[in-house]
Amino acid sequence: MEKSEKLKLSESDICDLFITPAIKEAGWDQLQQVRREVTLTPGPVVVRGNLSSRNKKKKKFADYVLSWQPGMPLAIVEAKDNAHSISSGLQQALGYAEILDLPSAFSSNGDAFASHNRAATDGEDIETELALSCFPSPQVLYDRYRQFHGIASNEAALVEQPYHLDASGKEPRYYQVEAINRTIEAVAKGQRRVLLVMATGTGKTYTTFQIIWRLWKAGTAKRILFLADRNILVDQTLVNDFKPFGEAMTKVRNRKIDPAYEIHLGLYQALTGPDEADKIFKSVSRDFFDLIVIDECHRGSAAEDSAWREILDYFNGAIQIGMTATPKETEYVSNITYFGDPVYTYSLKQGIEDGFLAPYKVIRIDIDKDLLGWTPPEGMVDDLGNAIERREYNRADMDRVLVLNQRTKLVAERVMKFLCATDPMSKTIIFCEDIDHAERMRKAIVNAAGKLAKDNPKYVMRITGDSVEGKAQLDNFIDPEQPYPVIATTSQLLTTGVDAKTCKLIVLDRTITSMTMFKQIIGRGTRIDEDNNKYFFTIMDFKKATELFRDDDFDGPPIVIYSPDDNDDPVPPDPPGDPDDEDDDDDDDTPGTTKIVVSGVPARIIAERIEYVGSDGKLITESYREFARKEIVSEFRSLDEFISRWNAADRKQAIIEALEEHGIVLANLHEDVGRDIEDFDLLAHIAYDMPPLTRRERAENVKKRNYFTKYGDQARAVLEALLDKYADEGISAIEDTKVLRLKPFDGIGTPIEIIKGAFGGKDAYDAALSELEQHIYGQASNE
């Protein structure tokens, strides 16, 4: 093909005519080994105010992913049209190869391939250029992959064990593939303890299932124990992600391990207890299980005296895999000391940046008695008539030592004010200090909700460890199909493991000092649920718990704090008691504690501010308007450039679509600005402070210029009607020739009659329409 002809081809044409045939000729199976147009990440959700949109500019999209077999990617190929150089897409391909941890990245414009080899040895070129006929075979790139990851010949069989293929077509996300493959490779190399760190909402259980499936099918693990500490974790797993195990799987019941099954799901409480007779795990031999997977392993398995560690020590010959969103690293307890460094980490920050996890906005609310403190007057008594100790009470005392009923009422009213302003049916979790506080908050919400609670008594429920009625409603609360309960008040029962994907509001009226607990609580809201229009969530903080967001440890890498010397016990010492780290199903009321309850002391909100997750993962104060301004200016550096490109665009909708890729949705901006103005004026006003005009005002300005007189009567009538149509419906309405079929144009003639008879042909009609748009916007820079 001539170069001039090749330059006219689109990127898609280059793929179909040159790149795909070259890959196929090298021996790649088009159905099993080549995936085209693969979305790696959907792009982050941007939240400002109560509005959200995806920033598609940050979407990661690979033209080709080449795999040895499904689930084993080997290389990325990025395509460009022939107007680009051969290596133009190599940096993009290399970026994708890095997040997938692949050694091979390629770029092509249809003339040849540019290659980058991350596994290159000393003396070997890292980047080379290959003729189309010389693209590497699958075996060459698989050998390079094995070299890059250090996979020996005797380890290859396990590494190549296939994934479970879902009949629905569900495929693991890129980071799940990474987590699964890194774990399988670690086991293949002989590692017996493996730690995986994945943020809440990223599919740890599905990832666990694929790991167990491959080890089970390969014969590496014949009997497997999946350990959790909450019934709901086991029950959800049994009927959802682990369902393909079928009849080979059972839940440990009636304090018996049944050897007839291969996959056992169990609560550690069902396997052990304080008395020797409770330790039923000892009813089987130490080598009974080949693999133990510990879900939420931060919840005690790393502590020497925990019940889980007792089970792990008994089955110490088994492969042990710890799964957690929050690796626990304190002076006393260490996951890393026990399991070793994580083989893979996928953080909350990365999940939000990729667009797989919901971002959050934080509403920080300060109450006067919390911030300024409260000292009772001399001789004051509580509601029971008991004298109140005369000292200053502050935030740390509220609802733990001192109960101000007016404060509880204030919190409840502020929560309901937010819900009624957004959506009163938004699933909400209110975290309280203890069971007593959770019950008082439930009552306060009932009163603040009024008719909502009157119409359905289950509008708000206390879901705590001691409440049979509340716990019975837990499944309904987390079920997207069940509208009630809407609000759950709790203390610790909902801090972890509960898949409440539609939760849109998390209220913190609890003092939180434990980073582990804080991460788990935030994790209740991080799931995106597109079917139910849940793309972000809100955190309403009354006790400054969200100050932990500013801690470098919030989303940093896990670091071992306990570092034993050569002669020290490798197991960290027992920790002192930490009320934030009690993880039982029952909430943490302290028996015998008597609180001071006072009803007559008023409370008021003295400060409130809203913050959002910025592009660096830190909290910032920024409106949707400020965000839009920055993004518009990044695309159009000046007002003149914006006007020039707007006028030059054949379809103004193309510019609007380009801005949507930045996460700017015009409907959201119109709602924020609150004025019915033209899209052009809206953007120019937001970004460049240009005084906005309505469409009607712009249309009247054009009519005043009286430029239509140069056209014939019929053409003038058409242009005047187009101008009126623009004033009523906007620029997009007149850019499609289908508008000529509508009133009033149908009274002038058919579209063909209008275009030919009034304007002399399509080119002349397009030129007249373009001139009309120039007059609509042409004076903008001078306005």
Side-chain angles (χ1 to χ4, degrees):
M1 181 181 289
E2 294 290 335
K3 183 69 174 177
S4 59
E5 292 298 313
K6 204 170 186 179
L7 285 169
K8 296 177 183 177
L9 297 176
S10 67
E11 181 182 302
S12 181
D13 293 332
I14 292 293
C15 289
D16 293 341
L17 297 175
F18 298 97
I19 299 176
T20 298
I23 292 173
K24 186 177 181 180
E25 189 67 27
W28 293 85
D29 185 314
Q30 298 299 295
L31 296 178
Q32 294 293 316
Q33 296 181 307
V34 180
R35 294 175 66 205
R36 291 281 307 273
E37 299 178 346
V38 180
T39 298
L40 300 176
T41 72
V45 175
V46 177
V47 183
R48 295 297 181 270
N50 294 317
L51 310 170
S52 65
S53 57
R54 281 204 186 272
N55 188 338
K56 295 178 182 175
K57 278 283 184 181
K58 295 186 178 180
K59 175 181 179 180
K60 293 183 174 70
F61 181 87
D63 291 321
Y64 294 81
V65 176
L66 306 183
S67 301
W68 179 244
Q69 61 191 36
M72 279 195 69
L74 301 179
I76 298 290
V77 181
E78 196 58 35
K80 297 295 178 185
D81 63 37
N82 202 244
H84 290 81
S85 67
I86 295 168
S87 62
S88 179
L90 195 55
Q91 286 190 157
Q92 188 178 351
L94 190 56
Y96 298 158
E98 284 181 313
I99 69 168
L100 295 178
D101 204 14
L102 305 178
S104 302
F106 300 90
S107 170
S108 179
N109 67 350
D111 289 341
F113 287 101
S115 168
H116 184 105
N117 179 7
R118 297 176 68 210
T121 56
D122 291 342
E124 186 179 1
D125 287 340
I126 297 170
E127 293 200 358
T128 55
E129 194 169 292
L130 307 170
L132 290 177
S133 59
C134 296
F135 191 79
S137 69
Q139 189 65 55
V140 169
L141 293 190
Y142 180 50
D143 290 345
R144 182 184 295 177
Y145 176 91
R146 283 179 47 188
Q147 174 195 341
F148 186 67
H149 287 287
I151 300 168
S153 299
N154 64 334
E155 299 163 0
L158 178 55
V159 169
E160 294 174 16
Q161 179 62 43
Y163 279 66
H164 175 267
L165 299 180
D166 195 299
S168 68
K170 178 181 179 179
E171 294 181 348
R173 295 168 175 172
Y174 86 85
Y175 63 85
Q176 292 170 335
V177 170
E178 278 291 279
I180 295 162
N181 289 351
R182 296 297 84 79
T183 302
I184 297 296
E185 288 169 13
V187 173
K189 296 177 194 298
Q191 193 169 322
R192 308 298 289 179
R193 293 178 182 174
V194 180
L195 179 63
L196 265 181
V197 179
M198 296 173 67
T200 301
T202 55
K204 287 196 298 295
T205 312
Y206 173 73
T207 302
T208 300
F209 161 71
Q210 289 287 6
I211 291 168
I212 294 175
W213 179 272
R214 293 175 68 187
L215 293 173
W216 182 52
K217 286 294 184 180
T220 302
K222 295 181 174 63
R223 286 202 184 99
I224 296 106
L225 174 62
F226 176 83
L227 262 181
D229 70 341
R230 295 277 171 90
N231 240 322
I232 192 167
L233 294 177
V234 172
D235 293 341
Q236 284 178 350
T237 301
L238 199 70
V239 298
N240 295 325
D241 289 317
F242 279 32
K243 192 174 181 180
F245 286 123
E247 294 181 355
M249 174 176 60
T250 187
K251 178 181 178 180
V252 177
R253 293 182 176 91
N254 303 321
R255 305 195 68 78
K256 179 184 177 185
I257 298 174
D258 190 340
Y261 295 91
E262 296 173 75
I263 315 293
H264 299 255
L265 282 68
L267 289 172
Y268 78 84
Q269 297 97 320
L271 291 170
T272 189
D275 299 325
E276 192 63 27
D278 298 327
K279 304 182 190 304
I280 66 157
F281 64 90
K282 293 185 178 180
S283 67
V284 295
S285 63
R286 286 178 175 270
D287 60 359
F288 184 82
F289 291 114
D290 307 301
L291 170 66
I292 300 177
V293 178
I294 308 97
D295 192 41
E296 304 290 359
C297 69
H298 68 280
R299 291 167 59 79
S301 64
E304 180 187 14
D305 62 344
S306 76
W308 288 25
R309 267 297 295 275
E310 189 178 26
I311 297 170
L312 298 183
D313 288 343
Y314 184 79
F315 298 110
N316 60 8
I319 299 163
Q320 298 176 358
I321 299 175
M323 308 288 294
T324 183
T326 51
K328 194 164 189 175
E329 296 305 321
T330 70
E331 183 181 353
Y332 304 98
V333 176
S334 172
N335 282 130
I336 293 175
T337 301
Y338 183 81
F339 285 104
D341 289 327
V343 293
Y344 185 72
T345 298
Y346 190 71
S347 66
L348 173 63
K349 177 182 176 182
Q350 188 64 52
I352 292 174
E353 186 178 309
D354 286 344
F356 291 119
L357 293 181
Y360 45 84
K361 70 173 184 178
V362 176
I363 303 175
R364 286 197 169 116
I365 299 172
D366 291 327
I367 296 174
D368 59 347
K369 299 300 185 290
D370 295 8
L371 199 65
L372 306 176
W374 175 73
T375 302
E378 189 74 43
M380 186 176 187
V381 296
D382 65 13
D383 288 1
L384 296 176
N386 299 315
I388 302 173
E389 180 187 354
R390 196 164 191 274
R391 68 172 178 86
E392 182 176 281
Y393 297 87
N394 54 33
R395 180 182 290 109
D397 298 303
M398 295 302 166
D399 298 296
R400 286 191 166 190
V401 175
L402 175 69
V403 174
L404 298 179
N405 283 329
Q406 291 299 312
R407 183 193 179 282
T408 308
K409 180 182 178 183
L410 179 69
V411 171
E413 288 174 346
R414 182 62 187 88
V415 170
M416 288 312 305
K417 180 182 177 182
F418 175 84
L419 288 174
C420 290
T422 52
D423 176 8
M425 297 303 289
S426 292
K427 291 294 176 93
T428 299
I429 305 175
I430 304 178
F431 287 97
C432 303
E433 295 289 357
D434 52 32
I435 292 173
D436 166 67
H437 185 201
E439 174 57 24
R440 286 185 293 100
M441 186 60 70
R442 184 201 63 79
K443 177 182 175 182
I445 290 288
V446 167
N447 292 329
K451 189 175 185 301
L452 290 164
K454 185 178 178 182
D455 289 347
N456 192 313
K458 291 187 175 66
Y459 181 77
V460 55
M461 296 287 293
R462 171 170 60 88
I463 302 179
T464 51
D466 72 320
S467 173
V468 175
E469 297 81 9
K471 288 167 75 173
Q473 290 297 319
L474 182 55
D475 285 346
N476 288 332
F477 179 73
I478 66 178
D479 185 347
E481 303 300 320
Q482 296 295 327
Y484 297 97
V486 176
I487 302 174
T489 67
T490 190
S491 174
Q492 296 207 89
L493 185 59
L494 299 181
T495 56
T496 185
V498 177
D499 188 6
K501 63 168 64 175
T502 56
C503 178
K504 291 185 178 181
L505 176 63
I506 291 174
V507 179
L508 303 177
D509 197 25
R510 176 188 175 96
T511 304
I512 302 170
T513 56
S514 162
M515 183 65 78
T516 299
M517 173 174 278
F518 181 64
K519 286 185 178 182
Q520 288 292 331
I521 286 175
I522 299 309
R524 298 313 100 214
T526 54
R527 289 170 174 83
I528 287 176
D529 186 357
E530 298 187 5
D531 293 339
N532 290 285
N533 197 34
K534 191 267 178 104
Y535 290 91
F536 71 98
F537 68 105
T538 301
I539 303 164
M540 188 176 285
D541 179 15
F542 290 92
K543 293 206 172 169
K544 288 195 179 297
T546 53
E547 290 293 332
L548 288 169
F549 278 130
R550 304 192 187 282
D551 193 316
D552 290 339
D553 289 339
F554 173 69
D555 209 29
I559 299 169
V560 176
I561 295 175
Y562 176 68
S563 301
D565 293 330
D566 291 341
N567 297 325
D568 289 343
D569 188 330
V571 178
D574 293 343
D578 182 351
D580 271 354
D581 286 335
E582 295 296 326
D583 286 319
D584 297 309
D585 270 5
D586 292 327
D587 291 63
D588 55 341
D589 272 7
T590 305
T593 299
T594 302
K595 297 180 182 179
I596 304 165
V597 181
V598 182
S599 295
V601 177
R604 63 187 177 90
I605 293 170
I606 58 173
E608 185 169 324
R609 71 179 185 275
I610 301 175
E611 297 178 313
Y612 306 89
V613 182
S615 57
D616 60 353
K618 301 294 185 182
L619 284 175
I620 58 170
T621 303
E622 179 182 70
S623 68
Y624 190 76
R625 195 167 177 163
E626 290 170 333
F627 163 76
R629 184 190 64 78
K630 288 196 301 188
E631 293 299 315
I632 295 167
V633 171
S634 74
E635 184 77 14
F636 311 100
R637 286 172 294 180
S638 66
L639 176 61
D640 287 341
E641 181 183 344
F642 172 67
I643 294 171
S644 174
R645 284 177 59 183
W646 181 271
N647 285 331
D650 291 335
R651 288 173 56 254
K652 306 301 183 261
Q653 186 62 27
I655 287 186
I656 293 169
E657 288 168 358
L659 290 173
E660 284 183 351
E661 292 193 351
H662 283 270
I664 300 171
V665 178
L666 262 62
N668 290 353
L669 268 185
H670 276 294
E671 185 177 328
D672 189 60
V673 172
R675 189 178 171 195
D676 181 24
I677 59 176
E678 151 72 28
D679 291 343
F680 169 87
D681 284 88
L682 177 70
L683 295 169
H685 174 62
I686 291 289
Y688 311 105
D689 296 320
M690 192 182 86
L693 297 177
T694 64
R695 293 192 299 267
R696 183 64 61 188
E697 288 169 334
R698 286 204 171 276
E700 290 301 322
N701 287 343
V702 173
K703 290 178 181 179
K704 290 174 186 175
R705 296 180 197 129
N706 205 27
Y707 91 96
F708 293 142
T709 54
K710 69 178 183 178
Y711 291 99
D713 291 345
Q714 193 179 34
R716 187 162 61 247
V718 171
L719 289 171
E720 287 174 346
L722 284 170
L723 187 60
D724 288 339
K725 197 77 172 173
Y726 156 78
D728 291 336
E729 299 180 27
I731 196 69
S732 299
I734 69 173
E735 289 191 323
D736 191 333
T737 54
K738 291 178 182 177
V739 72
L740 299 178
R741 301 175 187 170
L742 308 175
K743 292 181 181 300
F745 306 99
D746 59 352
I748 302 173
T750 66
I752 293 176
E753 288 171 346
I754 291 172
I755 290 171
K756 286 188 175 180
F759 295 94
K762 184 69 164 59
D763 289 345
Y765 172 79
D766 288 342
L769 180 62
S770 178
E771 186 181 15
L772 174 61
E773 292 181 358
Q774 292 280 349
H775 278 272
I776 290 172
Y777 302 114
Q779 302 300 313
S781 57
N782 299 319
E783 289 165 358

